[in-house]
Amino acid sequence: MRNWYATVLGVEPFFEHAPPLGTKPLDLGGQTRASDLRMCFFRLSVDHPYVQTIGLFEEPGTALDAANGAPGLHHMQLMTADLDALCDTFERLRAQGLRPHRSSDHGPMTSFYYRDPDGNNVEITAQNQPSLEAMVAFMSSDAFKANPSGSEIADPEAFVATRREAAKGELASA
């Protein structure tokens, strides 16, 4: 897949990761942790904050599951303008009864993961970094290379509430 996409897209991956041999993927609500999988990212656009990336993940058993009618797509990513827009989307979807099955601060981005009606993972995300250069620097760091999954957000409601309170404080002090 890596070589096929490199050929089709005409670009080499800007990030590749392979977990240590013998790593067993951690299951987070039916989705494995990216750090536990072999992966690579291809950058298609550098128009920050709408940086477009294709990520390939070597999900154990995906090809077999896809042949049996299960989703064959690890996930797709939809970018929002910023963290406030991500919080707006969370609140809009929550009002419609949709809640993420996983939330994570990956470092360069914060993401809420939902499942579509076919069970595919849909990542709705926002940049954490102020510029493309800052994002690239963060993704080149040893910390990111060691843990590209970042940290899980256990309570997305609390995350959004904290973000909203911080924004109120910024407005009050302005």
Side-chain angles (χ1 to χ4, degrees):
M1 291 288 282
R2 178 212 180 280
N3 293 337
W4 188 87
Y5 274 94
T7 299
V8 169
L9 300 172
V11 297
E12 290 297 313
F14 74 91
F15 179 79
E16 294 186 68
H17 170 77
L21 288 176
T23 299
K24 294 198 186 245
L26 177 65
D27 186 316
L28 299 164
Q31 179 183 0
T32 49
R33 225 172 63 108
S35 293
D36 299 336
L37 304 174
R38 202 169 141 222
M39 69 175 114
C40 65
F41 297 149
F42 296 88
R43 185 172 293 118
L44 303 180
S45 168
V46 294
D47 296 330
H48 190 76
Y50 298 103
V51 176
Q52 296 301 309
T53 301
I54 288 181
L56 300 179
F57 299 83
E58 190 173 65
E59 180 79 30
T62 298
L64 298 174
D65 290 343
N68 294 324
L73 175 69
H74 184 276
H75 77 281
M76 70 181 80
Q77 180 188 71
L78 304 173
M79 184 70 66
T80 61
D82 54 31
L83 283 170
D84 291 325
L86 179 63
C87 292
D88 292 344
T89 300
F90 170 84
E91 291 170 336
R92 181 177 56 78
L93 295 176
R94 181 185 61 196
Q96 297 297 315
L98 299 174
R99 300 195 184 280
H101 68 85
R102 176 183 177 212
S103 304
S104 185
D105 179 344
H106 299 298
M109 297 173 200
T110 296
S111 303
F112 295 145
Y113 294 84
Y114 297 83
R115 292 209 187 277
D116 73 11
D118 287 342
N120 294 303
N121 287 308
V122 178
E123 174 185 8
I124 302 177
T125 192
Q127 292 284 341
N128 290 338
Q129 304 299 320
S131 67
L132 176 62
E133 293 77 18
M135 183 184 82
V136 169
F138 188 92
M139 292 181 79
S140 298
S141 72
D142 289 339
F144 184 76
K145 289 175 183 174
N147 180 18
S149 288
S151 58
E152 298 303 311
I153 298 170
D155 185 348
E157 299 248 359
F159 175 87
V160 170
T162 300
R163 176 79 186 168
R164 296 299 194 205
E165 285 301 313
K168 284 180 191 174
E170 289 172 11
L171 287 175
S173 65

